[in-house]
Amino acid sequence: MTNLVPIPNNPFIVGQPVPPERFVGRTTLIETAFDQISKRSNLSVWGGSGIGKSSFLELLTWPEIWRVHQTELTNPSQAVIVLLNCLSIHPFTGSGFWGKVLSLIKTKLDSNPGLQADIDRLVQDGKSTAEDFQEVLGKLGAHNKFLVLLVDDYDAVFLTHETYTEADMKAFLSQSRTVANFFDEREYLSMIVTSSRPLNELGPSLTPGQSPWYNHYLFRQLKPFTKNEVDTLLQGMPMTPALRDGIAEIADRHPALLQNAGYLLYQELRAGGDLDPVTFAQEFKNTTLHIFQQMWELSNPIEQTLLMLIALSELNGRLPNQRYDISGVDNIFSQQELELNALVGQGVIKRQDTENKISYSFASSIMEWWVVKQIQNSNETELDQRKKVFLNVMSSKQAEKVTKAIRWLWNNKDQVPSILGWIGTVAAALPI
């Protein structure tokens, strides 16, 4: 009989939230969350695709993290912790949200069949309301308990449809704020929501004379990893400094990109086989394409324009000879710091400060390649639409330069480097 040698599991997580025991860093944000919970207050966490929002909420359901942060006001025996993804309510409605929350609360109350029966009564007609939710909060408080409501993908709240109009959305947001702010039951609730962008950018504009519908939240952005967090994630990986630099070239400090790169490298290194750079580049691109697409689609038109300008500027440096005139982009960037900083915070680009200038580049060279492909595959109709945005961020003369550069790219697709040309550092460092 053959003796089978146990093969260690791949420590990197792809395709799902990172389990709490594998969670890395975010110490300050965790402390902020428990500060808010202790005050029975609320927290809004926002960040780009793959930045770790779902993993963060999963962590807050973990008994061990509650043990570490236990105080008189964060006693885990009193907390009813509910995790809800808004995308599970399809199509989204306010009634569907309250009903789903109540049903999830019920599953946490096996030791209290009386309260479970009360919840059954409230959800039986399928038309649960904020008042029903408020009633259950009061009953939890009467039993010396409080609710920690963790809501992922809160973006879905703002997507209207035939049976969920803008008026319905505004009513839901108003009800949520009322429950959190104006009734005694608020002392039994702490709500933490995640979204792709700040809530004030996603939701309806403010009405004069009324308080902001989002003012019961503390806002915090979930940003790319710090250097120490990257080192912790990659700890134990047998890699040279050159390979570590190569991973930074394609993933920088973006959590999901790092997990994908680590997964592919660990898989090949564990097997003991040669890792072909072209194969690695293609596999990494294929497994992360959805992340880059989401980065692009979640960017507003001005941010997309800035990404195109960075890509065109960087591409000029990759070509054997300068082929088009993209001069003057630094002046554009200096006038668009707000949008550029938002892209930096989401892990799409990075900023370099020197004594003489501030410059921007893509955090991942594959994202840069992807934006170039977006430009290449566009057409005159799309370009006409882009021109309207161009004139919002640059002069007509600069807009004409950019238009000519895009058309040059359409006509010279063969000049653009292959995928391997965009991962030069990691390709050179792979153990082939």
Side-chain angles (χ1 to χ4, degrees), residues 152-379:
D152 205 4
D153 287 311
Y154 203 64
D155 307 64
V157 168
F158 308 102
L159 302 177
T160 58
H161 49 80
E162 186 176 347
T163 57
Y164 180 66
T165 65
E166 184 171 356
D168 295 328
M169 173 187 64
K170 290 181 178 180
F172 171 79
L173 294 172
S174 177
Q175 292 161 4
S176 300
R177 180 174 176 270
T178 298
V179 171
N181 270 1
F182 298 119
F183 290 102
D184 292 341
E185 290 82 1
R186 71 175 185 266
E187 63 183 289
Y188 311 123
L189 171 67
S190 181
M191 188 170 175
I192 300 177
V193 305
T194 64
S195 59
S196 61
R197 300 185 74 93
L199 295 184
N200 59 297
E201 292 184 16
L202 292 171
S205 56
L206 300 182
T207 302
Q210 294 185 0
S211 296
W213 53 266
Y214 47 77
N215 70 351
H216 55 291
Y217 290 104
L218 172 67
F219 281 52
R220 287 293 182 268
Q221 184 179 12
L222 191 58
K223 297 181 179 180
F225 279 151
T226 64
K227 182 182 183 301
N228 287 340
E229 288 169 340
V230 173
D231 290 343
T232 300
L233 179 67
L234 300 180
Q235 190 174 10
M237 277 286 287
M239 62 175 67
T240 62
L243 185 53
R244 189 177 290 267
D245 290 342
I247 290 177
E249 178 188 54
I250 61 173
D252 194 47
R253 298 176 181 180
H254 190 281
L257 298 182
L258 285 166
Q259 292 281 1
N260 275 275
Y263 189 95
L264 292 173
L265 287 169
Y266 190 91
Q267 182 174 266
E268 292 299 324
L269 293 172
R270 179 178 60 183
D274 293 338
L275 186 56
D276 174 61
V278 176
T279 301
F280 175 82
Q282 292 291 351
E283 288 187 0
F284 181 79
K285 180 197 73 173
N286 292 339
T287 57
T288 56
L289 201 60
H290 64 287
I291 299 174
F292 299 126
Q293 182 175 353
Q294 289 169 347
M295 287 179 177
W296 176 261
E297 293 178 353
L298 290 174
S299 300
N300 62 42
I302 290 179
E303 290 169 346
Q304 289 182 355
T305 297
L306 294 172
L307 291 177
M308 292 169 65
L309 292 178
I310 296 172
L312 289 168
S313 181
E314 294 287 308
L315 177 61
N316 236 5
R318 291 180 181 271
L319 299 172
N321 299 295
Q322 184 169 323
R323 302 293 183 176
Y324 49 80
D325 180 11
I326 198 69
S327 59
V329 294
D330 289 344
N331 293 329
I332 299 172
F333 294 157
S334 67
Q335 299 168 12
Q336 302 296 325
E337 283 197 42
L338 190 63
E339 286 77 8
L340 288 164
N341 287 339
L343 292 168
V344 170
Q346 294 173 53
V348 182
I349 63 175
K350 53 188 177 181
R351 167 178 167 145
Q352 295 85 36
D353 293 346
T354 62
E355 292 183 4
N356 299 321
K357 63 180 292 188
I358 297 172
S359 61
Y360 299 90
S361 60
F362 284 91
S364 167
S365 58
I366 304 296
M367 181 64 183
E368 182 183 342
W369 169 87
W370 195 89
V371 174
V372 169
K373 287 297 180 183
Q374 282 290 112
I375 299 171
Q376 280 186 320
N377 296 331
S378 60
N379 54 44

Side-chain angles (χ1 to χ4, degrees), residues 120-169:
D120 279 335
R121 174 178 56 81
L122 293 171
V123 301
Q124 63 185 356
D125 62 357
K127 298 180 180 179
S128 302
T129 65
E131 289 75 18
D132 296 332
F133 175 69
Q134 181 184 334
E135 181 180 338
V136 170
L137 285 179
K139 292 180 180 295
L140 288 174
H143 287 82
N144 198 30
K145 291 186 178 297
F146 64 93
L147 176 66
V148 178
L149 181 55
L150 309 172
V151 185
D152 205 4
D153 287 311
Y154 203 64
D155 307 64
V157 168
F158 308 102
L159 302 177
T160 58
H161 49 80
E162 186 176 347
T163 57
Y164 180 66
T165 65
E166 184 171 356
D168 295 328
M169 173 187 64

Side-chain angles (χ1 to χ4, degrees), residues 32-53:
T32 299
F34 277 97
D35 284 343
Q36 291 299 92
I37 292 170
S38 70
K39 298 179 180 73
R40 306 297 183 261
S41 194
N42 309 289
L43 175 65
S44 170
V45 177
W46 66 277
S49 177
I51 211 73
K53 302 183 295 294

Side-chain angles (χ1 to χ4, degrees), residues 77-114:
S77 67
Q78 297 174 340
V80 177
I81 306 168
V82 167
L83 174 58
L84 165 66
N85 190 307
C86 284
L87 296 178
S88 68
I89 306 167
H90 186 75
F92 185 90
T93 62
S95 177
F97 177 88
W98 299 120
K100 186 76 170 181
V101 170
L102 292 176
S103 296
L104 290 171
I105 293 173
K106 177 188 171 183
T107 66
K108 305 291 184 177
L109 299 173
D110 289 340
S111 62
N112 195 323

Side-chain angles (χ1 to χ4, degrees), residues 1-5:
M1 182 175 179
T2 304
N3 291 323
L4 298 178
V5 177

